[in-house]
Each structure stands twice: as C-alpha cells, then as structure tokens.
Amino acid sequence: MSILGNRVLRIEDTRLLTEGGRYIADLQDPRLDGAVHATYVRATLAHAEILGIDVSDALAAPGVVAVVTGADIDLRPIPGMANPAMARPHLARDRVRFVGEPVAVVLTERPEQGEDAAELVVVDYEPLAAVVDPVAAASDEVLLFPDVGTNQVLGFGHAPADGEGPEACEVVVRQTIVNQRVAACPLEVRSSAAAWIDGRLIHWCSTQSAHGVRDMLASTYGLEPDEVRVIAPDVGGGFGAKAGAHAEDALLGWLARHCGRPVRWVETRSENMMAMVQGRAQIQEITLGGRRDGTIEAYHLAITQDAGAYPAFGALLPGLTRMMAPGTYAIPAVTCEVRSVVTNTVATGAYRGAGRPEATAAIERAVDLFAAEAGLDPAEVRRRNLLPAFDEPHTTPTGTTYDCGDYPGALDTALAAAGYDELRAEQRRRREAGETVALGIGLSSYVEVTGGPAAGSEFGRVEIHPRSDGDGVDVVVYTGSSPHGQGLATAFSMVAADELGVPMERITVLHGDTDNVARGGGTMGSRSLQLGGSAVRAAAVEVIEEARRRAADLLEAPADDIVLDGDRGVFHVVGTPTVSRSWAEVAAAGGDGLAVETDFTAEQPTFPSGTHVAVVEVDTETGHARLVRLVACDDAGRVLNPLLAEGQRHGGLAQGAAQALFEEVAFDADGNPLTTNFADYAFPSA
C-alpha cells in the first residue's frame, strides 16, 4: 500500500526538539576559528546627505579590529530591479535613503564589543525632506535619486477605453484599499558568516536559496560559481524575505578579505525590523461595475506599489497582482494600471504569496462592495459570477491560464461547513436587538498560482548504497529545494520510499550546500513539493530503471521482464516472484551503488483555489474585533501528507488573520520606523 496520502509524522522534529536546530549563530566550524564579528552602523535619518564619518573613537574602543565605511568599499553597487540606475551601495556613501541603512561596519573580537563601538561612530548628516507615502512619492517633489529624475521604478498597463470599463455599468463601486506593509518576522534573524579558504569564498547563510546566494556572490566578487561555496544549515523561518542574500550578507566576503580573518554577522531583532525587506505595501484603487441583478461586467485595478528606498523584488510584485487580478470570477473586461515608486523606507520584497494575496484582497473587497450596493447577499453574488467548474485550461482577460478548478464547489462546501444561513440569522438578530457586540461574516474565494508564474525546474538526485553491515541499503536524496519549517525531509522521504520500496528510516535528505547539491532553485513561490518533490520522484524512477537493467543481468532475463516488488524491496522476473534480487544485491552489482540525478521542469504552474469564511465579533462601542471561527476549504489537488498540509494551512491562516487584524509596519512623517520590536509590532505567537 502506498505511503502517500497518509498522516506521517515529521521525521525532522525529533532532532529539532531534542538536540535543537543548528543555525548560523550556533556554528562551530574550524573554518571560522578566529572569526571577527561584524556590527553595522545604521542610518538614524530616513533621507540625508552624508557630510562625514568620524570613526576615530570607535577604532580606539576595546576589541575593535577595523571600522569600514562606504569610501573603503570597491564593490559594484547592487543594481535596482527594473531600474538599475537606482542602485544600492553595500554601505551608504553620499546619501542615506532609509532609517536603518548601513553606513559603516565595525569588526570586533566579540559581538558585544561591536554594539558598544558602533555607538562611537559619528556620522555628520545634512537632513533632506523624506517621502514615506508612495502616492506622494509619485509626484517626484522629493527625489531619492536626483540623477534618475523620477521616483517611478516602473509602470505598465492601462485604463479601460471610454465606455468600456466599469464606469459604463449600471452599478459601480469604487474604493481605495491600503494593503499595508508587513514584516516577515522570521524567528531566526538574518545571519551569515564568510571565510576565504585557499582562494575560495565559503559563505554560510540563513537563506531559502543557497544556489541563488552563490550566484549573487559570484557576480559580486567576479568569481566563477564553483569558486563560491554556500552552506545553508537549519533556517529558522523565511516567508519569502530570505529568498536571496541581502547587502549585509554580501559584504561579509569583502570584510573577510579586508581583515584576513573569517567574519560572522547576526543582526538584532530591531535591526531585522528596520532593515530586512518587508512585504505587501500596495495602495489599490478598485472600480467594479455590473448589473443590478448581481452580474459583474467590468473591473479596473490601479496599483501604486511602495518599493522602498531601493527597488528589489517588491518593485515587481504588481506584475503578479495583475496576473491574478480577476481571481475566481468570469468577468468579461479586466484592466490594470501599475506603478512602482521608491520611498524613504526599507525595501519591499517577497512575502507569503508575494503579490497574489494582494490581488485576492482587492477583488474580494470589490465584490463585497458591489453586493452591498446592489442589495444582494455577498455569497450569492459570488455564486453568480464564479467561473463554472472546469478541467480544461481557462485563460482570463489578463492572459493567465488556469489549469483546472471548481470554485463553486469550494464556496458551497465552505458555506455549508460554516453554517452560513444560521450565521446570517444570528447577525440579523443581534442587529435587530441592538446588541453592542456585532457579528461580522467575511467571505473570500481565491485562486493562487504555485510553482512560479513561469513554472520552472528543480534538481533532484537519488543515491542507493548497500549497508556495510549487509542489512539492506541506505538511500540519500539530494534536493535543490531548501527547507525552513515545511517538513521537506518528511515529504521527500515519503516520495522516495513510495517509489523505491525502501523504509523511510533508511532515507536521508540533503540540501543547502552548493558543493553537495549540483544546482537548485531553492524554496519560494510554493514550488518545493511541486517541483522539488517531482524531481526526487523522477530521479527515483530513473534509479529503478537502472536497477532493473542490473537485476536483469543478475537474473539472466530481459530488462523489460524485470519488476520491482515495492512491498518486499526486491526485483524479480514478472510472474516469478520466488527468485529475486534485493536492492542491496542490485546496488552492489555496480561496485559503487546506484546514483541518478535529474532536473524536473514543469511546463506550466498550477492554480490551487478555495473559499474561506471568517466569523468575527466586533464590539461596536470600542472597535475591538475577535476572530471567533475561520472555516477554510482549500483545493490543493492530491495531498501528499495531510499532517504537513494542515500545518501549512494553519500557518497561512494565522498570518492572514494577523495582517487583517493587527500586523502593520508603521513610519512617522519623517520616515522614522515606529515598529522596531515585538512590543510595538503586533506579532502572533504560537
């Protein structure tokens, strides 16, 4: 019987819960012996010219090995995404553009010495006007990059032609939505270490993509990829914000070369909240039109994306928002306008869905407004406009091709599970009775894209080695994916065990070391099981084919007649199960075991979907909101391990509810961050 689809306990948890994880801060590697510790001196103004930096007092402080400023750095600045001219220096030189931007770095013998010495670095600033509001930034009254001449990073799309958009409809609703900026808050803050060994850069990094960091460092230092080794040990959360390397990570190699010693860096929580890329940060102007009977006819979405001070991946997120703008609905006309602008805030990047949840928030709010204006129940408006169930590809007005879906089925299932009619009756009762605690019922039908907008590929390798004690075989799975809490060791072991007929306890999953894993795309965009797991399965299938050829020689039969009995873990001639060869015998027949590597490439992404119902009590006198129930019906296709799937859903539901109720990164008018720790930033605990 297949192990797939069963509730298999996570195999990684025993080590994590007993021994504990091995994170960057825990590293005890002889290659890091004698390492100095980096402490970044960060800008205290959101926008200012740097007139001078005095490091003399810091250099005289106990334990200080060196103090480096931007004038010392000879690395090429990091080009801005979509607009390379908006480049980011590794250390600010002439101007700072957000509070928390690194302006110098202190290297000390012990980490606590760096905190004291950094306070002795004196930076002479000439304050400049700051712009925090992205709509105000679009006016170009305050320019972050005067030589560029504009704050706009990119722009695309168009408004509907006259007479063809929502404005021409019988019922029209409009609203400005702020999809607020949020912080990723990984429990392990950003951290890295770097050392030069025999002319080769060895870099340890808390990242979701070891190979992506390797390629970035190779480009930064003018090296070939094989001259850089990146190692990602246990990673304590990422959520998209650790999809690559940051400027602080990338500089460590230069610092190690500069002082002739390895360098280690672990930021503080406040640094993480000030300077790590943040998510969302869209202002959306929605206009939806249709008929009085509830039929939606046209939708227009205008997006202003806050890219932060230096355009990173966040500047590109509106492209994904536009891609998914129609959501689950059969809307004949959909148009979208986009502009990304820089502001005097920390850069935005990928975060938990990266642009796609923003699309869902916009269209779902628009549908609720439309239902209210038309005087109809919001569930009924959804039912009337959802795309009918389909199992052949469907292309939306924005050019996105969904593979399959049953959106009405998910809606009906969620409404039934929530007891929707009873909830509405209770809502009416409270209103009629004038009760101060009102009942709110939120609906959302969504469609998501997984595996990346352009699909993609992932690396997998499977090795089978006879055990030295003669007791069967050990299997080693190599993956280019990178786990940081999802349970990938369990998932990939299940995939390999199911194909190979080898017990899970005999399978080891290796990842996160670019010397051990040939290549890889990493973990982001909901691609790990879909692409990484498929690569493991493909490699296992190819290993079986090679094993069948070897077994054919051992059994003196044609390879086409050899079958694998997965329950027993043996090969035999079809119809003759009593004469067989074990995995150990077959693997040993080649001398060095069996090994196959492959790259799985998806032709297109997939589009899971679902409907959620939120039941909320709101105190109308105080405004206090309490989430009472959240009913979620999610169609993820075939589920490999319900235990892992439920864990992922719980995490997603918690983060979504947290943004809806209390998470928000805030700045004052001068660009000073107001949410720099977990006392100020309302972050949900387990």
Side-chain angles (χ1 to χ4, degrees):
M1 185 179 73
S2 173
I3 194 175
L4 304 185
N6 292 305
R7 300 177 68 85
V8 177
L9 293 177
R10 287 165 46 111
I11 61 176
E12 44 273 272
D13 286 352
T14 298
R15 177 181 65 84
L16 291 172
L17 294 174
T18 55
E19 301 174 21
R22 189 172 68 94
Y23 304 99
I24 295 291
D26 305 318
L27 289 179
Q28 294 181 345
D29 191 301
R31 291 168 294 189
L32 292 174
D33 288 349
V36 296
H37 297 267
T39 303
Y40 283 96
V41 180
R42 298 184 178 275
T44 56
L45 296 176
H47 201 196
E49 297 287 351
I50 298 176
L51 302 181
I53 302 177
D54 184 354
V55 303
S56 56
D57 289 346
L59 281 170
V64 172
V65 175
V67 181
V68 174
T69 68
D72 303 314
I73 304 297
D74 56 4
L75 296 177
R76 180 173 63 95
I78 303 168
M81 283 195 179
N83 194 328
M86 296 179 174
R88 173 175 180 168
H90 292 82
L91 295 175
R93 300 190 64 169
D94 303 319
R95 177 182 294 220
V96 295
R97 295 180 172 87
F98 69 96
V99 172
E101 181 173 3
V103 296
V105 58
V106 178
L107 301 178
T108 54
E109 299 290 353
R110 299 199 307 271
E112 69 275 11
Q113 294 170 328
E115 296 180 23
D116 294 334
E119 294 182 358
L120 300 177
V121 175
V122 179
V123 185
D124 186 9
Y125 293 112
E126 178 64 36
L128 298 170
V131 59
V132 177
D133 181 351
V135 173
S139 70
D140 291 337
E141 291 183 14
V142 175
L143 290 175
L144 273 70
F145 297 87
D147 293 344
V148 178
T150 179
N151 288 329
Q152 182 161 307
V153 182
L154 59 82
F156 58 85
H158 60 85
D162 290 343
E164 296 181 3
E167 303 289 357
C169 296
E170 181 181 9
V171 177
V172 183
V173 292
R174 308 171 191 82
Q175 190 171 78
T176 299
I177 300 173
V178 177
N179 201 303
Q180 77 269 27
R181 180 185 285 252
V182 294
C185 300
L187 291 188
E188 182 199 19
V189 293
R190 294 181 299 171
S191 46
S192 284
W196 292 90
I197 308 294
D198 297 327
R200 192 166 184 244
L201 177 58
I202 314 297
H203 189 104
W204 294 260
C205 190
S206 179
T207 179
Q208 298 170 217
S209 175
H211 293 84
V213 173
R214 179 199 64 184
D215 295 345
M216 185 262 205
L217 293 174
S219 174
T220 298
Y221 291 97
L223 302 171
E224 294 298 321
D226 61 3
E227 294 179 294
V228 179
R229 180 181 185 181
V230 171
I231 303 169
D234 290 324
V235 174
F239 309 112
K242 291 183 183 176
H246 297 81
E248 293 95 331
D249 299 297
L251 185 58
L252 296 192
W254 189 96
L255 296 172
R257 190 164 57 190
H258 175 71
C259 68
R261 294 169 62 179
V263 177
R264 304 180 68 141
W265 170 63
V266 178
E267 68 178 349
T268 65
R269 176 59 60 187
S270 290
E271 285 181 290
N272 181 268
M273 298 295 287
M274 284 195 301
M276 187 184 203
V277 291
Q278 297 169 345
R280 309 293 186 237
Q282 281 188 7
I283 295 178
Q284 304 167 330
E285 303 281 347
I286 56 174
T287 310
L288 189 73
R291 298 199 296 268
R292 185 66 60 182
D293 66 2
T295 303
I296 299 172
E297 296 176 307
Y299 174 50
H300 180 66
L301 174 62
I303 302 168
T304 299
Q305 173 70 56
D306 184 352
Y310 298 98
F313 185 67
L316 310 180
L317 292 184
L320 296 173
T321 308
R322 177 193 177 277
M323 175 186 179
M324 305 304 295
T328 54
Y329 301 105
I331 306 175
V334 179
T335 50
C336 188
E337 293 177 275
V338 166
R339 60 181 178 181
S340 286
V341 298
V342 289
T343 62
N344 292 117
T345 61
V346 64
T348 53
Y351 169 78
R352 202 75 200 243
R356 292 101 69 191
E358 292 89 321
T360 298
I363 186 61
E364 289 303 289
R365 182 61 182 146
V367 170
D368 280 345
L369 292 170
F370 180 78
E373 184 66 21
L376 299 170
D377 184 275
E380 182 57 31
V381 171
R382 284 172 170 80
R383 186 176 287 110
R384 293 182 189 182
N385 291 280
L386 289 172
L387 287 164
F390 60 99
D391 55 17
E392 294 293 332
H394 169 82
T395 301
T396 73
T398 57
T400 305
T401 301
Y402 300 163
D403 54 350
C404 60
D406 183 4
Y407 311 146
L411 175 67
D412 291 341
T413 300
L415 294 178
Y420 184 72
D421 292 340
E422 292 81 2
L423 288 172
R424 286 296 183 199
E426 172 63 13
Q427 187 181 56
R428 286 192 297 271
R429 186 198 67 76
R430 294 191 189 192
R431 286 174 177 168
E432 292 168 359
E435 294 187 10
T436 57
V437 178
L439 190 68
I441 306 166
L443 299 179
S444 177
S445 291
Y446 76 90
V447 58
E448 162 71 308
V449 54
T450 61
S457 65
E458 189 52 274
F459 171 82
R461 177 180 173 90
V462 172
E463 295 180 353
I464 299 180
H465 303 284
R467 292 172 65 98
S468 58
D469 59 8
D471 182 21
V473 294
D474 289 319
V475 177
V476 183
V477 171
Y478 298 83
T479 176
S481 297
S482 179
H484 40 274
Q486 306 92 326
L488 294 191
T490 302
F492 291 175
S493 293
M494 290 176 66
V495 170
D498 186 67
E499 290 294 334
L500 301 173
V502 175
M504 280 184 64
E505 57 267 23
R506 293 291 179 87
I507 299 172
T508 301
V509 178
L510 298 180
H511 60 88
D513 186 332
T514 59
D515 270 12
N516 293 338
V517 180
R519 50 197 171 274
T523 293
M524 68 284 293
S526 306
R527 71 194 299 276
S528 295
L529 184 58
Q530 187 170 325
L531 300 183
S534 296
V536 171
R537 179 182 180 275
V541 169
E542 291 189 35
V543 161
I544 292 171
E545 290 305 303
E546 175 58 28
R548 288 175 64 235
R549 288 189 285 270
R550 293 190 186 183
D553 292 337
L554 295 174
L555 294 168
E556 298 181 346
D560 291 344
D561 293 341
I562 304 299
V563 295
L564 168 63
D565 182 342
D567 291 337
R568 294 192 296 150
V570 299
F571 294 84
H572 63 80
V573 178
V574 63
T576 314
T578 56
V579 181
S580 63
R581 294 291 183 268
S582 67
W583 266 114
E585 292 173 299
V586 172
D592 297 324
L594 277 162
V596 169
E597 64 182 46
T598 188
D599 294 278
F600 174 81
T601 300
E603 295 181 359
Q604 64 178 41
T606 58
F607 294 84
S609 58
T611 295
H612 292 190
V613 181
V615 183
V616 181
E617 288 187 335
V618 180
D619 188 318
T620 58
E621 294 182 338
T622 66
H624 177 70
R626 184 173 73 91
L627 179 61
V628 178
R629 293 173 64 202
L630 207 161
V631 178
C633 174
D634 300 300
D635 181 358
R638 293 181 62 188
V639 174
L640 180 88
N641 182 339
L643 196 69
L644 297 180
E646 289 170 11
Q648 288 288 292
R649 295 174 75 204
H650 292 164
L653 295 174
Q655 284 180 293
Q659 183 182 353
L661 291 174
F662 45 78
E663 281 198 43
E664 180 176 14
V665 172
F667 299 89
D668 69 14
D670 295 320
N672 296 303
L674 305 177
T675 46
T676 59
N677 54 54
F678 288 166
D680 299 324
Y681 186 85
F683 172 74
S685 71

